[in-house]
Amino acid sequence: MRLATWNCNQAFRRKQRELLDLEPDIAVVPECEHPAEKGDWSAWTDWRWTGDDPHKGLSVFTQGDITVSDTTAIAEADHFLHIETDAVDVLAVWAMNDRDNPRQRYIGQLHTALETHPELVDEDTVVAGDFNWNVMWDESPDSPLCGDLSDVRAALNENGLRSAYHAVRGDELGEEAAATFHMHKKEDRPYHIDYAFVPGHRIEQETEVTVGRYDDWIDASDHMPLLVETDP
């Protein structure tokens, strides 16, 4: 199974071929327009979308014989989406700022979702997307979080899920050699803020994790795709 997550920086209908070339079975795509509104999506088998702006929401696409059998929106976060497929269940994430409740901004949204809806994640779920956070920002004395990335990792680890990138590459949280995001598209402002937590039993010696190269993707988006290939 090949899973990709890529914040496309909007207008995915014009950029989808670049992601299709990676041949993902399931793709989590933050900042995607509503597929029902515009675009030709015939290259994909199935899709689901959530959001409050038809130009900029969260989509999950599938390919091959994978179809979506059920969908659950997360009331506490407009850009989280749980889908069930015959291959794997996915909690897709696009963590956003929350000016009304700063304690629940970005990674705090995911922490709240995991606490509020524990039934959506188990040892066979994939949690993937743009978390918009790195552990280096966990300590925020001016505006503390209701839960940080360390807390989220601990909760997912308790369910048997592991960050595929860190498990395969051996990097520690906050010390990632590969960036998934470049602030203002500047090569010298790299951050690792996109993740795929996958069932630990799917991570084998042959598991491959790829992060897109800056030169290959920066014209399309300030984010690089994260691709995980695991056993089915």
Side-chain angles (χ1 to χ4, degrees):
M1 187 190 73
R2 294 168 67 88
L3 171 83
T5 178
W6 182 44
N7 184 319
C8 67
N9 198 211
Q10 301 189 67
F12 185 55
R13 66 192 181 279
R14 297 199 295 265
K15 306 172 183 178
Q16 59 178 308
R17 175 49 56 188
E18 297 176 59
L19 194 60
L20 282 162
D21 286 345
L22 299 181
E23 300 182 342
D25 299 299
I26 299 175
V28 176
V29 187
E31 294 200 26
C32 179
E33 64 270 55
H34 197 320
E37 298 289 331
K38 59 179 65 176
D40 177 2
W41 310 100
S42 58
W44 304 95
T45 300
D46 206 350
W47 59 264
R48 294 294 187 275
W49 183 94
T50 188
D52 53 11
D53 179 347
H55 303 291
K56 193 176 182 182
L58 172 70
S59 277
V60 181
F61 293 89
T62 68
Q63 283 200 94
D65 58 0
I66 298 176
T67 57
V68 178
S69 58
D70 197 12
T71 305
T72 303
I74 312 301
E76 295 78 10
D78 291 335
H79 300 94
F80 285 32
L81 189 64
H82 182 273
I83 69 163
E84 297 179 23
T85 78
D86 50 4
V88 67
D89 294 349
V90 178
L91 176 59
V93 173
W94 179 22
M96 306 285 289
N97 197 4
D98 191 330
R99 292 181 175 85
D100 295 330
N101 183 5
R103 287 178 56 82
Q104 197 169 291
R105 69 196 187 281
Y106 300 125
I107 195 65
Q109 288 183 0
L110 179 53
H111 180 267
T112 298
L114 295 174
E115 282 198 329
T116 307
H117 301 282
E119 74 281 0
L120 296 182
V121 176
D122 61 25
E123 67 276 7
D124 292 314
T125 308
V126 169
V127 180
D130 179 2
F131 289 20
N132 249 322
W133 203 259
N134 188 282
V135 72
M136 70 175 69
W137 303 317
D138 276 358
E139 298 297 330
S140 302
D142 294 334
S143 185
L145 294 157
C146 60
D148 57 29
L149 183 54
S150 297
D151 297 324
V152 166
R153 176 179 64 172
L156 295 175
N157 286 174
E158 286 180 6
N159 279 283
L161 307 183
R162 299 289 182 270
S163 168
Y165 173 90
H166 297 87
V168 171
R169 297 290 186 91
D171 295 355
E172 296 295 329
L173 281 178
E175 299 180 2
E176 295 86 0
T180 66
F181 172 70
H182 291 267
M183 182 73 74
H184 305 307
K185 291 196 169 186
K186 295 183 181 296
E187 189 171 11
D188 61 356
R189 298 195 66 183
Y191 299 97
H192 192 104
I193 62 174
D194 303 84
Y195 303 85
F197 281 80
V198 306
H201 62 81
R202 287 180 178 262
I203 300 176
E204 306 289 346
Q205 186 173 0
E206 295 79 15
T207 298
E208 296 183 8
V209 177
T210 305
V211 177
R213 294 177 62 253
Y214 175 89
D215 290 342
D216 295 336
W217 291 89
I218 199 60
D219 288 343
S221 175
D222 47 6
H223 286 253
M224 310 298 109
L226 175 69
L227 181 69
V228 181
E229 185 169 3
T230 69
D231 288 335

